[in-house]
Amino acid sequence: MTAPQAPARPMPHVLNTYGRLPIALTHGQGCRVWDTNGKRYLDGLGGIAVNTLGHAHPRLVAALQDQVAKLIHCSNYYEVPLQEQLAAKLCEISGLSGAFFCSTGLEANEAALKLARKFGHDKGIERPEIIVYEKAFHGRSIATLSATGNPKVQAGFGPLVEGFVRVPLNDLAAVERVARENPNVVAVFLETIQGEGGINPSRADYLQGLRALCDRQDWLLMLDEVQCGIGRTGKWFAHQWAGVVPDVMPLAKGLGSGVPIGAVVCGPKAVDIFGPGNHGTTFGGNPLAMRAGVETLRIMEEDGLLAHAASVGARLSGGLKQGLEGVAGVVEIRGAGLMIGIELDRPCGVILQQAADAGLMLSVTADRVIRLVPPLVLSADEADEIVRILVPIVRAFLAA
Ligand SMILES: Cc1ncc(COP(=O)(O)O)c(C=O)c1O
């Protein structure tokens, strides 16, 4: 008897973890990318909020080529001056005090969760708990998927990590209730703007309320800025619009413009929680990734990309709002700067392929939200082009 055949898959050596489009990209320039057939796309996705400076930015390319030729990796057994340089810059722009470097967003969040637990243990709380959120996304390791508020991400991976209390976003009374009832809470952990959950911003007054509550309760305020940070909203960090300062801020994605990098940046309350031996990683903080971070932030500053992200983002969301005004089935267009979500009243995954056919890269998240997180170098003309391509696609999809 022959063994049952596994269903045929197009790429049998790569595990089947993504629903991929049948497109393979070969190269890019600015906000344009090309595929193996020579077809050109406008990049409204930026590698999911990663390619801050677009593709093949000449100053970044030159810096990375220089670094590759000098030193890519050397291990954390030695001093890495570029770590000091990047940490100093991150502290300057955030008002925080120190950084630990890793390579991805989930690692930055793992570090944050460990910081919170040790913060609790250090003050005598044996079973520390962390407040997390409905619709949150923090990564796909066992701890970060446990903190994530999406049953689809968690399904099949139980038992989940314990020690999380979940609340709805923007409901301060819910957090106050937890504060009254649960003496083991040590931290509040949320994305300043939820990304994978459908581009859901925390309100400014909510963040201010959380800051005050965390101060009163001696909790850590931990803001995951992995997706919404690094200039995307028009300030270095999205929480800066609310005038609050977190105690712990995980970063990744846009910080290296495409080179894998993560960081957890800590304020005075968190900067001394870890001591030698408490945390580590082989790749984190290597000279190549650090150079990418230093140069990304330098170029962003030199080229005024914060103000640019705010203005071109306003132009893009304004154009989308105008083009989709009064269209039945459009629930809301929201976000900040170049982090924009168009919520529809129905699942709209098919729009991915339709947009790609029309030469536009984007993503659909939380089933019903079209997400645009393009490179921050998107020009005004390119923003208008996104509107010109996307509006008719959405209108036709909703009319069908
Ligand atoms: C807010 C947020 N946190 C964490 C992560 C996980 O980052 P990574 O995929 O680099 O592990 C993501 C990824 O989408 C994210 O959006």
Side-chain angles (χ1 to χ4, degrees):
M1 226 170 74
T2 52
Q5 291 278 303
R9 290 202 270 117
M11 279 203 234
H13 303 297
V14 176
L15 295 198
N16 193 17
T17 57
Y18 297 100
R20 298 178 198 266
L21 293 182
I23 295 170
L25 301 175
T26 54
H27 64 288
Q29 187 69 57
C31 286
R32 307 282 175 180
V33 283
W34 284 262
D35 72 11
T36 43
N37 298 319
K39 183 175 164 69
R40 190 179 83 149
Y41 303 84
L42 181 52
D43 188 359
L45 183 61
I48 323 181
V50 167
N51 299 106
T52 305
L53 303 177
H55 303 276
H57 189 291
R59 272 175 285 158
L60 182 67
V61 169
L64 294 179
Q65 284 173 335
D66 173 67
Q67 191 60 47
V68 166
K70 282 179 177 153
L71 189 66
I72 296 175
H73 178 85
C74 60
S75 107
N76 282 303
Y77 285 171
Y78 308 101
E79 287 181 6
V80 182
L82 279 162
Q83 283 188 18
E84 298 298 332
Q85 206 179 324
L86 183 55
K89 187 68 194 171
L90 287 171
C91 291
E92 178 201 316
I93 62 180
S94 65
L96 299 177
S97 318
F100 174 87
F101 292 107
C102 50
S103 308
T104 65
L106 81 79
E107 283 178 80
N109 285 335
E110 284 278 345
L113 297 174
K114 283 181 69 176
L115 280 167
R117 282 195 170 186
K118 184 146 188 309
F119 175 73
H121 282 279
D122 288 350
K123 58 179 182 169
I125 298 177
E126 278 176 21
R127 302 187 67 81
E129 299 197 29
I130 299 168
I131 295 179
V132 293
Y133 284 76
E134 292 170 7
K135 298 188 184 170
F137 183 84
H138 297 295
R140 290 175 179 274
S141 66
I142 292 292
T144 57
L145 75 80
S146 301
T148 287
N150 180 344
K152 275 196 208 160
V153 173
Q154 296 170 336
F157 298 107
L160 301 181
V161 170
E162 58 185 291
F164 295 112
V165 187
R166 201 168 299 281
V167 296
L169 188 63
N170 286 326
D171 179 354
L172 198 60
V175 186
E176 279 164 347
R177 210 159 31 244
V178 177
R180 279 195 302 277
E181 291 167 3
N182 190 335
N184 289 330
V185 170
V186 293
V188 182
F189 181 40
L190 70 157
E191 299 153 86
T192 314
I193 302 175
Q194 291 182 338
E196 303 306 301
I199 316 293
N200 307 313
S202 307
R203 287 197 323 268
D205 66 298
Y206 180 70
L207 291 172
Q208 290 153 4
L210 281 184
R211 178 69 275 177
L213 191 60
C214 285
D215 290 342
R216 205 167 70 224
Q217 297 290 132
D218 191 30
W219 294 345
L220 296 176
L221 178 60
M222 309 205 299
L223 294 179
D224 178 347
E225 294 247 357
V226 166
Q227 188 162 153
C228 61
I230 312 295
R232 183 148 294 282
T233 65
K235 288 195 188 281
W236 283 114
F237 306 108
H239 63 262
Q240 290 172 333
W241 291 103
V244 299
V245 181
D247 300 303
V248 176
M249 175 173 62
L251 298 172
K253 287 192 181 278
L255 179 55
S257 261
V259 176
I261 185 170
V264 59
V265 193
C266 299
K269 210 161 145 184
V271 76
D272 293 320
I273 293 174
F274 282 161
N278 282 151
H279 200 52
T281 156
T282 299
F283 287 116
N286 76 52
L288 178 63
M290 296 299 97
R291 186 75 185 269
V294 166
E295 298 297 337
T296 296
L297 299 181
R298 187 206 309 276
I299 294 167
M300 287 177 71
E301 215 159 38
E302 284 172 2
D303 291 0
L305 288 186
L306 299 188
H308 178 75
S311 68
V312 82
R315 183 181 182 109
L316 177 54
S317 53
L320 292 167
K321 280 178 185 161
Q322 201 179 11
L324 294 172
E325 196 180 355
V327 174
V330 177
V331 176
E332 191 182 17
I333 299 175
R334 57 177 178 257
L338 283 172
M339 183 171 187
I340 300 171
I342 307 169
E343 183 179 350
L344 306 186
D345 66 355
R346 65 201 77 167
C348 58
V350 295
I351 279 183
L352 273 186
Q353 183 69 61
Q354 293 172 1
D357 290 345
L360 175 63
M361 300 280 180
L362 44 71
S363 79
V364 169
T365 189
D367 290 336
R368 297 188 291 123
V369 181
I370 300 167
R371 170 175 51 179
L372 292 164
V373 280
L376 303 192
V377 295
L378 187 81
S379 70
D381 284 350
E382 288 164 339
D384 295 346
E385 191 179 331
I386 292 179
V387 174
R388 274 200 309 279
I389 297 174
L390 188 52
V391 164
I393 290 175
V394 175
R395 281 177 169 269
F397 170 75
L398 290 170

